Amino acid sequence: IREGESIAVPLKRSKAFPPMVTHMIAVGEKTGQVEQMLENVSRAYEAEVETKDTALTARLIQIANSPIFRASVAITSVEAAIKRLGRNVVNNIVTGVAMEQLFQATTEITDRKLRKCWQHAMEVSSIAAAFSQQIPHLKADQAMLAGLTHDIGVLPILTMAEDYPALLADEAMLDALIDRAHSRIGTAILEKWNFPESIILAIKNHEDLMFDSGPQPDYVDLIIVANLQSSDNAERLAAIPHVSVIPAFAKLGMQEIEVIDMYAPPPAE
């Protein structure tokens, strides 16, 4: 990404996608419309999700039954999940899956961390989408896209780490590298893919709790709040004495918050 190389080449080499998909991504790069091509890919995947991708089907049903979207009746089919989530949300979930599959793990450590990164992204995106519905000028599908991509910079770091056994052997050092560099790398990736500036700003600034772009809440604020409320950040959230000092929480009118575990089982009747 930093050297301006194509992402279509490693995508094709991974054999995770059919040739037509990699061709669409290559065309998107050449025309500067990678985001539009990813959306087209997501629609193609959505059309085949029920019969050809059981893993994605399971994820859609899991998210539809999460505390963020849960209703009185449990979802058991992909058709019902799509109806509950909405087409735009589903498209962005599938887009997230497509981007996730650009990076394939070959070691136990990187596989574990990639899976954790994906689950965290799903939590943050769902929480952000839910909060966005309270803010008229923000869109739920864009909030979900920002959440799905907010830690995308972690993925190439893990892929690179597989070439350095000493780094894999020192997980604390690897985690420190991820903490220090993932926002900057993620920003470079989305700039390369010509994503909207509002989404790029969210990826660039989501770890800066004191970031304040002005009086109106934006997607950065949504991701800061959703990121802190995800189950991965329970300890970090507990260490903050008063969340009202964080501009994002103040702009969303939130005085008290709690950790949201998207994968928690429903309460007993």
Side-chain angles (χ1 to χ4, degrees):
I1 295 295
R2 183 177 61 251
E3 297 174 357
E5 295 181 355
S6 169
I7 61 170
V9 174
L11 189 153
K12 181 178 181 180
R13 189 166 55 243
S14 74
K15 298 181 180 179
F17 297 96
M20 179 57 70
V21 171
T22 58
H23 175 70
M24 290 171 67
I25 298 298
V27 171
E29 287 188 297
K30 291 179 180 178
T31 61
Q33 297 181 353
V34 173
E35 184 190 11
Q36 181 61 48
M37 283 301 178
L38 283 171
E39 184 175 341
N40 292 343
V41 169
S42 75
R43 287 173 179 167
Y45 268 90
E46 182 189 336
E48 300 183 357
V49 66
E50 182 174 17
T51 59
K52 294 189 177 180
D53 197 331
T54 56
L56 181 54
T57 298
R59 285 176 178 174
L60 290 173
I61 292 173
Q62 184 181 41
I63 293 169
N65 284 320
S66 72
I68 294 297
F69 294 101
R70 186 179 294 146
S72 58
V73 179
I75 292 295
T76 59
S77 70
V78 69
E79 297 99 329
I82 292 172
K83 183 177 180 180
R84 177 174 292 180
L85 297 172
R87 292 282 175 175
N88 287 339
V89 170
V90 171
N91 280 342
N92 280 317
I93 292 171
V94 180
T95 297
V97 172
M99 289 187 292
E100 176 197 17
Q101 291 180 357
L102 291 174
F103 305 92
Q104 299 295 313
T106 60
T107 70
E108 184 277 330
I109 292 175
T110 53
D111 181 68
R112 169 166 47 83
K113 288 186 175 294
L114 281 171
R115 291 177 185 275
K116 183 178 180 181
C117 182
W118 169 250
Q119 179 167 319
H120 174 66
M122 296 303 296
E123 280 194 351
V124 171
S125 63
S126 297
I127 295 169
F131 286 154
S132 71
Q133 296 174 14
Q134 306 169 25
I135 307 170
H137 66 277
L138 298 181
K139 298 179 180 179
D141 62 314
Q142 291 296 292
M144 175 156 273
L145 182 59
L148 286 169
T149 57
H150 81 286
D151 276 348
I152 196 172
V154 174
L155 308 185
I157 294 175
L158 292 176
T159 302
M160 174 274 297
E162 295 187 330
D163 295 329
Y164 297 89
L167 185 57
L168 286 181
D170 190 339
E171 203 164 336
M173 181 184 296
L174 177 57
D175 288 340
L177 175 61
I178 289 171
D179 289 343
R180 186 169 64 250
H182 78 277
S183 294
R184 187 166 64 254
I185 294 173
T187 299
I189 291 173
L190 295 194
E191 286 177 344
K192 171 69 175 178
W193 289 352
N194 292 307
F195 267 52
E197 182 65 20
S198 59
I199 304 297
I200 293 174
L201 284 175
I203 278 59
K204 182 179 181 179
N205 298 293
H206 73 275
E207 296 289 2
D208 180 3
L209 299 187
M210 300 311 295
F211 179 83
D212 189 355
S213 62
Q216 288 284 342
D218 56 19
Y219 294 108
V220 184
D221 299 316
L222 285 178
I223 301 306
I224 288 174
V225 170
N227 191 37
L228 277 179
Q229 288 199 257
S230 67
S231 58
D232 274 358
N233 283 315
E235 292 184 6
R236 185 181 182 191
L237 180 60
I240 300 173
H242 300 289
V243 296
S244 59
V245 303
I246 299 175
F249 285 92
K251 285 193 280 184
L252 293 179
M254 302 178 67
Q255 302 299 319
E256 296 182 359
I257 59 172
E258 61 181 358
V259 170
I260 298 175
D261 186 352
M262 201 184 81
Y263 300 101
E269 296 292 341

